[in-house]
Amino acid sequence: MKIGIIGSGHVGGTLTRRLSALGHDVTVTNSRGPQSLGDLAAETGATAGTLEDTVQAAELVVVAVPVKAVPDLPAALFDGKLVIDADNYYPQRDGDIPDLVDRSLSSSRWTADHLKGARVVKVFNTIQAAHLMDEGKPAGAPGRIALPVAGDDADAKRVAMELVDELGFDPVDAGTLDESWRQQPDTPVYGTDRDADGVRQGLAEARP
């Protein structure tokens, strides 16, 4: 697939490395511009691009930026795109966002509201970047880590789940974007590297 990755930090950089190694055509961008991504591009074979380059050509776009930066993304650019939201809301970093502080919205619903027209799927937010890099295993392997996948669009969710499996993790359907609070920070599945049954149990046990 042609995959665009917005953000070159821990998760964005890791997905650039992993997805390029799997043979996907990856373009990566960040807030500092393509010139800052030369080393990552040279290491991975990915293309360093502008935000417009990265999104326009992509079949799938990963957003891996601080949540506070989401409103700065030009929504029209994402219209019709399959967008994977790998973000987490951390108040100490992102500041006071009222809808997220009081949990009246899941962070992915808030993101989808900003990127109207995009088909948003929540995944990759529960796993440490180092484990995303190194802990993938073949399907059926004992101890394979599972990742919850939430979204409203069934086809978009299917594509995301196939990508999770390709990366070496068990995808678990976590419901809709409104239910994705169950995989946010401070929930049983966040950062705990559970298997598929454990993720299902953790999602069920999550409390608002």
Side-chain angles (χ1 to χ4, degrees):
M1 278 193 295
K2 287 185 177 294
I3 296 176
I5 298 180
I6 303 172
S8 59
H10 294 305
V11 172
T14 296
L15 286 171
T16 298
R17 292 176 175 91
R18 290 290 324 274
L19 294 169
S20 295
L22 289 170
H24 294 285
D25 182 356
V26 176
T27 302
V28 59
T29 191
N30 65 15
S31 60
R32 298 183 301 280
Q35 68 281 355
S36 70
L37 294 166
D39 289 347
L40 182 61
E43 174 195 342
T44 61
T47 301
T50 64
L51 178 63
E52 290 73 17
D53 295 336
T54 299
V55 176
Q56 285 173 348
E59 300 166 74
L60 179 152
V61 180
V62 178
V63 175
V65 299
V67 166
K68 64 183 177 182
V70 168
D72 296 330
L73 298 173
L77 193 61
F78 295 82
D79 190 42
K81 294 290 184 180
L82 196 173
V83 173
I84 286 182
D85 171 19
D87 295 346
N88 286 306
Y89 173 54
Y90 301 115
Q92 64 274 24
R93 178 196 65 189
D94 298 309
D96 185 356
I97 300 174
D99 288 337
L100 302 185
V101 168
D102 70 11
R103 298 196 172 208
S104 59
L105 291 179
S106 70
S107 66
S108 283
R109 173 61 67 200
W110 184 84
T111 294
D113 285 348
H114 281 287
L115 302 180
K116 288 193 182 300
R119 299 180 296 146
V120 176
V121 179
K122 180 77 161 186
V123 66
F124 300 126
N125 73 298
T126 58
I127 187 170
Q128 296 178 37
H131 295 184
L132 182 59
M133 187 72 200
D134 298 327
E135 300 296 329
K137 297 180 179 180
R144 197 184 200 214
I145 295 170
L147 302 180
V149 184
D152 298 338
D153 184 298
D155 184 63
K157 190 187 290 188
R158 175 188 59 77
V159 173
M161 293 176 85
E162 289 173 355
L163 196 65
V164 169
D165 182 56
E166 187 182 2
L167 286 161
F169 304 94
D170 280 337
V172 171
D173 192 327
T176 67
L177 288 183
D178 288 329
E179 294 174 283
S180 67
W181 63 267
R182 295 178 181 275
Q183 66 194 74
Q184 291 180 173
D186 302 320
T187 60
V189 300
Y190 178 76
T192 52
D193 290 346
R194 296 179 176 218
D195 64 10
D197 286 342
V199 165
R200 293 186 189 97
Q201 179 181 354
L203 292 170
E205 292 174 348
R207 295 293 177 263

